[in-house]
């Protein structure tokens, strides 16, 4: 079974430029998460989707961040414009939503973003 | 707000010994607690989940305890191996589903 796929793995951009990250969750997983992980810290939730609906985006900086999951499968996270402080690893995770299993999250390898 | 504390200093142990990692939390009691492993350059990998009504959970060489009175979880790796060297993250869910808060993690080094 294929795991969570993310691309690109690495991205270097200059500040004020836009950037987008893509995530394809495990097949059949209804719940998709985007996290940001700064160096030496744990992942922090940015947004959670149930199918195509964003059910928790309270931590998403909406002035510059946006996300979509149009068909309830893969998802895109965008930053426009990027700031120096956005340098971090952006992790995507998915979970099945099945009773007794919904808590376990499966993470992708992450996209390492460096803003210069 | 909820706060999770894990040992900020790295833990260095000798191969074959038992590694014990601590996770302390404040404020509300979580519905369940999870432990994840993270290797450099990779995403976290789920290891164990323990619910608020459980005291202990085991899986092979891993054991997790959950003390809701002390607001603490202990994560044990018995007969540790160099391959166990990684960062271990504690994660709590306060709403019974999908609101997961991660600690900063503890780095474990197991020497051969």
């Amino acid at each position: 079974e294929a795991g969570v796929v993310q691309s690109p793995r690495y991205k270097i951009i200059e500040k004020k430029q836009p950037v987008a990250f893509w995530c394809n969750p495990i097949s059949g997983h209804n719940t998709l998460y985007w996290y940001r992980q700064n160096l030496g810290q744990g992942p922090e939730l940015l947004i959670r989707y149930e199918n195509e609906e964003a059910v928790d985006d309270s931590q998403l900086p909406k002035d510059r961040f946006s996300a979509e999951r149009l068909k309830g499968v893969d998802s895109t996270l965008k930053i426009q414009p990027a700031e120096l402080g956005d340098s971090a690893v952006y992790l995507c995770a998915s979970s099945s939503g099945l009773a007794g299993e919904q808590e376990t999250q499966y993470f992708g390898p992450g996209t390492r973003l460096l803003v210069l | 707000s909820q706060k999770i504390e894990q040992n900020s200093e790295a833990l260095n142990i000798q191969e074959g010994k038992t590694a014990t990692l601590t996770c302390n939390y404040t404020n509300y009691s979580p519905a369940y607690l999870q432990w994840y492993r993270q290797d450099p350059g990779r995403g976290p990998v789920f290891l164990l989940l323990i619910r608020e009504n459980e005291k202990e959970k085991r899986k092979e060489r891993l054991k997790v305890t959950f003390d809701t009175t002390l607001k603490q979880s202990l994560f044990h790796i018995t007969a540790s191996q160099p391959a166990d060297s990684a960062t271990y993250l504690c994660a709590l869910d306060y709403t019974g589903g999908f609101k997961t808060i991660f600690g900063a993690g503890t780095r474990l080094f197991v020497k051969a």
Side-chain angles (χ1 to χ4, degrees):
Chain A
E1 177 182 286
V4 175
V5 179
Q6 291 188 247
S7 68
R9 291 295 315 275
Y10 305 91
K11 190 74 175 179
I12 301 174
I13 61 171
E14 295 195 346
K15 62 181 180 182
K16 301 185 181 179
Q17 294 301 306
V19 64
F21 314 124
W22 176 81
C23 172
N24 191 32
I26 291 174
S27 177
H29 280 193
N30 298 322
T31 307
L32 184 147
Y33 313 75
W34 282 103
Y35 288 89
R36 177 170 58 191
Q37 185 173 25
N38 292 307
L39 190 63
Q41 300 298 315
E44 296 178 349
L45 180 69
L46 293 174
I47 189 168
R48 172 171 68 89
Y49 282 93
E50 290 293 334
N51 297 303
E52 64 274 8
E53 181 182 0
V55 295
D56 184 355
D57 63 355
S58 57
Q59 301 302 311
L60 189 72
K62 298 181 183 62
D63 57 336
R64 297 184 300 107
F65 286 65
S66 65
E68 60 183 15
R69 193 185 185 198
L70 294 177
K71 297 183 180 179
V73 180
D74 56 348
S75 175
T76 302
L77 177 69
K78 298 178 181 178
I79 308 175
Q80 183 172 11
E83 297 180 351
L84 296 177
D86 296 331
S87 296
V89 175
Y90 291 83
L91 293 163
C92 178
S94 68
S95 62
S96 67
L98 296 175
E101 298 179 6
Q102 69 271 27
E103 305 93 348
T104 300
Q105 296 180 38
Y106 296 85
F107 284 82
T111 296
R112 187 175 299 273
L113 173 67
L114 179 60
V115 182
L116 302 176
Chain B
S1 63
Q2 298 89 354
K3 186 175 180 181
I4 301 172
E5 293 182 349
Q6 295 188 250
N7 310 55
S8 57
E9 294 185 10
L11 179 63
N12 291 281
I13 65 168
Q14 199 67 35
E15 182 178 11
K17 301 295 186 182
T18 296
T20 299
L21 285 68
T22 304
C23 175
N24 295 298
Y25 60 93
T26 59
N27 296 331
Y28 308 110
S29 294
Y32 54 84
L33 185 150
Q34 303 181 71
W35 284 89
Y36 286 77
R37 168 182 173 144
Q38 187 171 26
D39 291 283
R42 296 176 179 263
V45 175
F46 170 76
L47 295 175
L48 279 171
L49 179 152
I50 187 166
R51 302 185 187 280
E52 59 181 336
N53 60 347
E54 299 175 316
K55 297 293 185 185
E56 182 179 299
K57 184 75 72 77
R58 293 175 184 262
K59 179 183 177 182
E60 298 174 351
R61 295 186 296 112
L62 310 180
K63 184 179 83 170
V64 173
T65 63
F66 195 7
D67 189 326
T68 56
T69 301
L70 292 178
K71 295 187 182 295
Q72 181 181 79
S73 174
L74 298 178
F75 177 77
H76 306 273
I77 305 175
T78 59
S80 60
Q81 305 166 0
D84 295 326
S85 299
T87 295
Y88 291 86
L89 301 166
C90 167
L92 279 70
D93 188 296
Y94 287 89
T95 63
F98 314 123
K99 186 73 171 182
T100 307
I101 300 174
F102 284 83
T106 297
R107 191 79 187 271
L108 172 67
F109 293 97
V110 181
K111 303 177 199 176

